[in-house]
Amino acid sequence: MKLKKTFAAATMLAGTMTALSFMSAGAAQAQGELVMYCGVQEEWCRAMTTAFERETGIKVSMTRKSAGEVYAQVKAEAANPRADIWWGGTGDPHMQAAEEGLTVEYKSPKMSELQDWAVRQWEQSKQRTVGIYSGALGFGYNTDLAKSNNIAEPKCWADLLKAEFKDEVQVADPNSSGTAYTLLATIVQIMGEDKGFEYLKALHKNVNQYTKSGAAPAKAMALGETTAGIAFMHDIVTMVVDKAPVKVVAPCEGTGYEIGSMSIIKGAKNMDNAKKFYDWALTADAQKLGADAKSYQVPSNKSTPIPPQSPKLSDIKLINFDFAKYGSSAERRRLLSKWDNEVKNLP
Ligand code: PLP
């Protein structure tokens, strides 16, 4: 018994010494790891991962997915969560996850540095998700294609229903894409549910493809694969910055917007590192990485400069988007299944 205890103590001591030498030999590994599900563009996800690893020595394992897909994965993994932090993507599936208890409350010391809309998101979700950026929905069109096909400059949501846009509008599927769910909720809020679904059914006739990711239509427009594409305006601006013949439109009837969000997964295996990332991601310096990666959302930290390329929210006719209602579990599920039944399966 005594021998066993001495042996155990010696083993512990050796273990501690190994750990100490391991820490000094490789701070990166000694700081542990973080598993992140990332909802923005791949380039920005990678920039965040690299910068956080460099600053903290924490090794990040990152997967990029669209907003609705991350939500579905987090829900499927709830009994044995794989991810620690969910960073980015539209707020509605973050709100739904909060309501369903898939994410946890957290109050960051950085809260006082944030814009009111970011704090409101946190309060409405009972402290389970926080706003990290904002941006308006809109559409764009390829000016070369519009010219060669004699299409007049579209200015309103209604213009996308014209016959000249037959098979020339691309948008994502709202089940996978936060962008496309924002469209669904926006149209319902602007037109009312019945007229809104009539609009979406008419739009369906002009849609050439429902993509998985929300930014894909912006890229397709830039490549000349579709004349018009519905996406967040900042995602279309990225194409303009890259010199694509594309024009961004803020629809005349008004439009919705997103509060891109961040949540900590319930049961995260690396909870301390998830909180470290959360605090860091709310700093002005971390938020500047978005513009460096050509993502032109409006950042939530008041001290982060708004990129000059960002569409100015004050110049856009924004609706009073009801994030609590359209992020609620029952409403999101109901609207998505109605869209599947009444729109997606139309010929
Ligand atoms: N990319 C950017 C730059 C975004 O701002 C957002 C929304 O938060 C997305 C992608 C959303 O992607 P998806 O519509 O594929 O969920």
Side-chain angles (χ1 to χ4, degrees):
M1 187 71 177
K2 200 172 173 192
L3 244 181
K4 259 192 193 163
K5 265 193 185 162
T6 314
F7 178 73
T11 312
M12 268 171 64
L13 182 65
T16 309
M17 285 171 68
T18 312
L20 284 173
S21 59
F22 179 68
M23 270 172 81
S24 55
Q29 287 181 355
Q31 299 308 315
E33 53 187 44
L34 178 75
V35 180
M36 167 166 65
Y37 289 161
C38 185
V40 299
Q41 293 299 91
E42 183 87 31
E43 295 77 3
W44 191 10
C45 295
R46 271 195 260 114
M48 287 292 282
T49 305
T50 310
F52 184 68
E53 283 184 342
R54 200 173 43 230
E55 281 194 30
T56 62
I58 296 165
K59 174 95 189 68
V60 183
S61 159
M62 182 275 287
T63 309
R64 195 276 154 188
K65 275 181 194 284
S66 287
E69 292 180 299
V70 178
Y71 162 77
Q73 187 159 358
V74 168
K75 194 170 171 81
E77 292 169 353
N80 184 20
R82 199 181 80 77
D84 304 306
I85 189 107
W86 174 7
W87 180 78
T90 54
D92 40 277
H94 283 270
M95 293 286 281
Q96 183 173 6
E99 186 188 326
E100 293 174 5
L102 301 170
T103 50
V104 293
E105 293 135 52
Y106 178 57
K107 182 173 185 183
S108 168
K110 296 279 162 203
M111 289 309 291
S112 61
E113 297 181 23
L114 303 185
Q115 302 278 1
D116 292 349
W117 47 260
V119 178
R120 211 174 311 123
Q121 179 84 341
W122 177 75
E123 288 167 350
Q124 282 186 335
S125 67
K126 302 202 170 65
Q127 312 188 353
R128 288 181 170 165
T129 193
V130 67
I132 53 176
Y133 58 78
S134 181
L137 186 75
F139 61 82
Y141 65 97
N142 182 303
T143 49
D144 289 350
L145 287 177
K147 204 168 166 191
S148 58
N149 294 323
N150 263 333
I151 295 178
E153 184 179 344
K155 294 195 166 110
C156 305
W157 291 118
D159 291 333
L160 297 181
L161 302 187
K162 291 180 178 165
E164 61 208 36
F165 279 108
K166 175 101 184 106
D167 287 332
E168 288 300 335
V169 180
Q170 200 169 107
V171 63
D173 183 320
N175 291 288
S176 58
S177 157
T179 309
Y181 180 74
T182 305
L183 172 69
L184 173 53
T186 293
I187 293 297
V188 165
Q189 285 173 91
I190 291 177
M191 304 178 189
E193 188 158 329
D194 291 347
K195 287 212 171 99
F197 268 84
E198 286 315 309
Y199 175 87
L200 294 167
K201 284 180 208 169
L203 182 69
H204 177 86
K205 296 195 181 117
N206 285 352
V207 169
N208 51 44
Q209 193 188 342
Y210 291 110
T211 59
K212 197 157 78 157
S213 127
K219 287 185 190 146
M221 234 183 331
L223 293 170
E225 293 169 359
T226 181
T227 302
I230 300 173
F232 282 115
M233 289 169 68
H234 51 259
D235 282 341
I236 306 172
V237 168
T238 306
M239 303 302 136
V240 177
V241 169
D242 284 342
K243 310 249 179 310
V246 164
K247 196 157 175 202
V248 190
V249 180
C252 75
E253 299 93 336
T255 192
Y257 64 104
E258 64 164 331
I259 295 177
S261 300
M262 166 168 66
S263 313
I264 297 175
I265 308 296
K266 186 174 185 176
K269 298 198 172 60
N270 302 293
M271 185 55 87
D272 289 348
N273 288 346
K275 290 179 180 169
K276 268 188 206 148
F277 181 90
Y278 191 109
D279 295 341
W280 175 80
L282 294 180
T283 62
D285 279 348
Q287 293 198 352
K288 276 185 203 147
L289 294 170
D292 296 345
K294 294 190 188 163
S295 282
Y296 301 118
Q297 289 91 333
V298 174
S300 69
N301 187 304
K302 289 181 213 159
S303 305
T304 317
I306 297 178
Q309 299 90 344
S310 293
K312 289 204 178 26
L313 296 183
S314 52
D315 294 349
I316 300 165
K317 194 170 158 192
L318 290 181
I319 62 169
N320 186 14
F321 201 106
D322 189 341
F323 291 103
K325 176 171 179 187
Y326 292 94
S328 80
S329 185
E331 187 65 1
R332 195 166 173 277
R333 253 185 291 137
R334 185 185 73 80
L335 277 179
L336 285 173
S337 91
K338 183 164 175 171
W339 184 84
D340 281 344
N341 292 335
E342 296 187 15
V343 181
K344 190 180 184 176
N345 294 327
L346 285 175

